[in-house]
Amino acid sequence: MTDFKPDVIVVGAGLAGLVATHELVKAGRKVLVLEQENRNNLGGQAFWSLGGLFFVDSPEQRRMGIKDNMELALQDWLGSAAFDRLDDEDVWGKQWAQAYVDWAAGGKRDYVRELGLKFLPFVGWAERGSGSATGHGNSVPRFHLSWGTGPAVVEIFEKPVLAGEREGLVRFAFRHQVDEILMEDGAAVGVRGSVLEASDAERGVKSSREVVGDFEHRAAAVVVTSGGIGHNFDLMRQNWPVDRLGPVPKHLIAGVPAHVDGRMLEISETAGAQLVNSDRMWAYTEGIHNWDPIWPNHAIRIIPGPSSMWFDALGNRLPAPNFPGFDSIGTMKAILATGHDYSWFILTQKIIEKEFALSGSEQNPDITSRDLKFMLQSRLAKGAPAPVEKFKEHGEDFVVASTIRELVEGMNQLGRDGAELDADHIEAQIVARDRELDNAFSKDLQLMAINNARLSRTDKLIRVASPHRFLEEKNGPLIAVRLNILSRKTLGGIQTNLDSQVIGADRRPIQGLYAAGEVAGFGGGGVHGYNALEGTFLGGCIFSGRAAGLALAKKA
C-alpha cells in the first residue's frame, strides 16, 4: 500500500467511519479505512439495526398530529440523561446533547434525505418514560423508521464512499486489526497492528483471529470509529454499575456480533485518550435467544407495545412505571433486585399480533426489502408477522397454552436458578387486572397508560391492541415469554470535543486524534448520560462521524 498516501486513517468501517469518510471524500481528501472484519461487514452494527432515527417536529410527526419542539425535546433529553458529572466526565457529553437535539430539530432530516433516505409515515413512541414530565422518557413519539431499515441507512453513506474508492480517494484494508496508535510529540501520526488471515465469512459470522502479518500506516490524523463493547461480556461485567442497577447478570445474550469487542478503548487510552462514563451502558431487558443464530449467543430484542403484563422471575407483577417500552434502565433495576436476571411477559394472541415487533433488519424483511406490497401483506394479514410467529413456534423462550396452569407449568420448565412460579398467584394478578376492564377508566396505571397510548394515531392504528381480558378464551391462546438481559450499546467511551477531537487526560484535545460513534459514547464520551431516548444511536454515529469528517476536511 506504499503507493497510497492517506490524509486520514479511519479505524473501523461501521456507520460512523463511513460518515466521516464520506465527508472527507467530499472535500477531496484521501482516506485509508482499516477494518478487522472482511468487506461483507461494511457498515458494522448499523446494518443489523431497525433503522430508527430521532427527529423533532418532523413532517411525519405533524402529519400524525404530534406537536413537538426543540424545548420539549431538550427537556426530555436532559431529564433522561441526568448529567451529574459536569466537572469532568459529562462536561462534553452535555454540550453534545444540546448540539444533537438542535440538529435533530433542524438539519438532520434534510441531511439524510438529501442522500436518499426515506421514512415510513408512522412515528413510533419508544421509551415512554418514568412518569414525570421532567424525568426520563419521550413526551411524544419521535422514533422514525427508515424505509429499508438499517441497511438503507448504511447504503446512503456506503455508496458515495465506494464511489470514492473507485476514484482513488479511498482505500480499504480489511482484516487489519489495529493494536497501537502511533504518537509522536503528543500527536497521533498513524497506527500499527496485525493482519488477520483472510476470511470469506458471511456478514455477522464470527471470524478467525489468526495473525498472518503486521502493518504500519501513517497519516496526519487518525479517527477511531471502532464501536462498543456489546459482545465483550467480561468488559461489560467489569464495568457493570452494581450500586446503581443491582447484581451483574449471570446470563447475558448478545445483541451484536462477536467483533464488537471494545479493543480500541484500551488502545486509545494507552495513546492518551480520556475514557469516561464506563459504567453507563444500554442493555435491554427484553432479549430472546435467536432460534436461527448468526453469531454466538445471538439475541433479538422484542420491541413491545405497552399491553403485556410483566412479571419478575418470582411471579410478581412489576410495579409502575415498569411497563413494556417505558423505562429500560428503571425496569432493569427492578428485575435484578429480585436476585434473578430474567423476567416474563404474559400476553394474549391479540397482543402478539399487534404489539410485538422484533428489533433488527433481518427480522423485518418486508421493510428491509422496501417492498410495499410485501409489507402490506405481512402487516395486515391475520396473525402476527411471520418472523414473530416463527419465534413463537421455534423460540426457546416462548410458552403457549390455553390455561394459566398449563402456561405456568411450561414457564417453570424454563426458569433458572431455582425460581418457581405459583399458578394461583399468577392467575390472581391477571384476574385483578381483567376486572378493571368493566369501565373505560381504571385505577390500574398500566391500563391508564394503554389508553393514553391509543390517543396517538400510530399507536391506535398499528401498535397498541385495544384493551381486553386476558382470560377470555376468544383472546387466546395465552403466551409467556422468558425475557433475558441482552447486551447492546456503550453509553460512555472516549471523551471528545464538538469536533470529535479526542480529549486527553490533561483535558486538552490531542492533536491528530479523533473518535466518533459508539466508541466515543456517540459523542463527547456520553451524549446520552444515563438513559437513551431511542432512535439516537444511528443518529449519534451520523452526527459524530460527520463532525469528525467536517473538522478534518478543513485541516487535512
Side-chain angles (χ1 to χ4, degrees):
M1 204 174 293
T2 56
D3 61 323
F4 187 78
K5 304 295 184 183
D7 299 304
V8 178
I9 294 171
V10 173
V11 181
L15 180 59
L18 290 176
V19 175
T21 303
H22 165 62
E23 290 295 340
L24 287 161
V25 168
K26 280 167 51 178
R29 310 307 186 202
K30 288 188 175 182
V31 186
L32 173 60
V33 183
L34 303 175
E35 169 58 52
Q36 66 181 356
E37 297 305 308
N38 62 20
R39 188 179 283 267
N40 292 338
N41 288 276
L42 205 59
Q45 297 179 62
F47 180 91
W48 299 105
S49 74
L50 190 58
L53 289 173
F54 174 98
F55 295 131
V56 177
D57 191 26
S58 70
E60 290 82 9
Q61 286 177 300
R62 293 193 292 270
R63 282 194 289 268
M64 296 304 292
I66 300 164
K67 297 178 181 179
D68 198 9
N69 56 65
M70 167 71 179
E71 292 75 21
L72 181 61
L74 187 60
Q75 173 181 299
D76 287 347
W77 193 292
L78 296 180
S80 298
F83 294 116
D84 60 1
R85 302 167 180 174
L86 293 172
D87 290 338
D88 185 9
E89 295 184 79
D90 284 335
V91 64
W92 283 107
K94 185 175 181 180
Q95 292 181 59
W96 272 89
Q98 292 168 325
Y100 181 75
V101 174
D102 182 65
W103 194 53
K108 178 183 175 184
R109 184 177 179 277
D110 289 342
Y111 180 72
V112 295
R113 286 274 298 179
E114 287 170 4
L115 288 166
L117 194 62
K118 297 179 180 180
F119 302 95
L120 292 179
F122 305 106
V123 185
W125 198 350
E127 288 297 299
R128 298 168 189 250
S130 59
S132 167
T134 56
H136 170 59
N138 284 296
S139 296
V140 298
R142 296 190 177 106
F143 189 88
H144 296 68
L145 184 56
S146 301
W147 181 233
T149 67
V153 179
V154 171
E155 180 183 88
I156 64 172
F157 297 102
E158 181 183 33
K159 280 185 174 180
V161 169
L162 293 181
E165 183 183 25
R166 291 190 295 272
E167 294 167 7
L169 290 174
V170 177
R171 183 74 59 90
F172 286 100
F174 294 103
R175 304 297 286 158
H176 279 53
Q177 185 180 69
V178 172
D179 300 321
E180 180 185 357
I181 297 171
L182 301 178
M183 301 294 294
E184 294 179 0
D185 298 325
V189 296
V191 296
R192 182 181 292 131
S194 305
V195 179
L196 305 179
E197 68 176 350
S199 170
D200 60 359
E202 293 297 316
R203 182 186 289 273
V205 173
K206 185 177 181 180
S207 63
S208 166
R209 287 295 176 265
E210 183 71 25
V211 174
V212 296
D214 54 36
F215 65 86
E216 179 177 312
H217 296 294
R218 290 179 173 253
V222 175
V223 185
V224 179
T225 58
S226 54
I229 67 172
H231 208 109
N232 188 335
F233 291 171
D234 289 339
L235 191 54
M236 281 190 65
R237 291 183 170 117
Q238 176 184 316
N239 293 335
W240 192 266
V242 174
D243 292 345
R244 194 171 75 249
L245 292 186
V248 179
K250 296 178 183 178
H251 184 85
L252 282 170
I253 50 180
V256 293
H259 61 76
V260 184
D261 54 20
R263 288 181 72 255
M264 287 303 301
L265 286 167
E266 183 177 356
I267 291 167
S268 299
E269 185 177 35
T270 300
Q274 171 102 321
L275 300 189
V276 295
N277 300 312
S278 298
D279 62 321
R280 296 178 186 170
M281 58 193 81
W282 194 248
Y284 289 111
T285 54
E286 309 99 336
I288 52 178
H289 297 80
N290 193 343
W291 66 273
D292 188 19
I294 296 171
W295 54 78
N297 299 307
H298 190 168
I300 298 296
R301 183 203 173 200
I302 295 170
I303 304 177
S307 300
S308 297
M309 294 185 71
W310 205 335
F311 296 86
D312 65 28
L314 303 176
N316 300 308
R317 189 179 179 189
L318 294 184
N322 300 308
F323 310 136
F326 275 68
D327 182 358
S328 291
I329 295 297
T331 304
M332 176 82 72
K333 185 176 180 179
I335 290 168
L336 295 179
T338 67
H340 298 274
D341 57 11
Y342 69 98
S343 59
W344 294 96
F345 276 167
I346 294 181
L347 60 149
T348 65
Q349 180 65 25
K350 278 191 175 181
I351 292 172
I352 202 171
E353 288 179 2
K354 193 162 187 178
E355 297 196 9
F356 263 39
L358 301 175
S359 181
S361 54
E362 82 283 13
Q363 300 299 329
N364 295 273
D366 51 347
I367 302 172
T368 300
S369 64
R370 289 175 271 199
D371 187 329
L372 181 59
K373 182 179 179 181
F374 180 22
M375 185 187 75
L376 292 174
Q377 289 174 339
S378 172
R379 305 287 162 163
L380 298 179
K382 183 175 176 58
V388 175
E389 285 292 343
K390 286 181 180 178
F391 267 92
K392 196 178 84 172
E393 181 180 354
H394 303 295
E396 65 180 79
D397 299 296
F398 284 72
V399 180
V400 182
S402 56
T403 68
I404 286 291
R405 296 201 174 276
E406 292 173 355
L407 190 75
V408 173
E409 182 179 347
M411 293 166 72
N412 279 329
Q413 292 176 10
L414 299 181
R416 293 196 293 262
D417 300 324
E420 188 80 10
L421 301 171
D422 179 78
D424 290 336
H425 182 51
I426 296 286
E427 185 171 28
Q429 293 172 86
I430 296 175
V431 167
R433 179 259 183 207
D434 280 3
R435 287 189 184 121
E436 293 288 312
L437 289 167
D438 286 339
N439 296 287
F441 42 86
S442 169
K443 72 176 183 181
D444 186 286
L445 288 175
Q446 185 173 7
L447 290 175
M448 292 166 65
I450 292 167
N451 286 325
N452 180 62
R454 284 175 59 83
L455 296 175
S456 159
R457 293 177 192 171
T458 296
D459 277 353
K460 186 171 184 179
L461 285 170
I462 64 171
R463 193 71 176 105
V464 180
S466 57
H468 58 273
R469 291 174 176 79
F470 276 39
L471 298 182
E472 284 189 358
E473 186 175 349
K474 66 180 182 180
N475 298 322
L478 292 166
I479 302 163
V481 187
R482 182 183 60 184
L483 304 172
N484 309 274
I485 307 300
L486 175 154
S487 68
R488 187 61 67 83
K489 302 297 181 188
T490 309
L491 296 189
I494 300 170
Q495 193 170 45
T496 61
N497 64 19
L498 291 176
D499 285 334
S500 289
Q501 190 172 8
V502 172
I503 302 298
D506 62 358
R507 301 192 182 187
R508 296 181 179 180
I510 297 176
Q511 183 179 338
L513 188 57
Y514 294 73
E518 191 172 350
V519 73
F522 301 91
V527 67
H528 299 94
Y530 288 97
N531 291 283
L533 292 176
E534 293 292 359
T536 59
F537 300 126
L538 294 181
C541 287
I542 295 169
F543 190 49
S544 58
R546 175 177 173 269
L550 289 173
L552 284 167
K554 297 174 184 176
K555 293 182 178 182

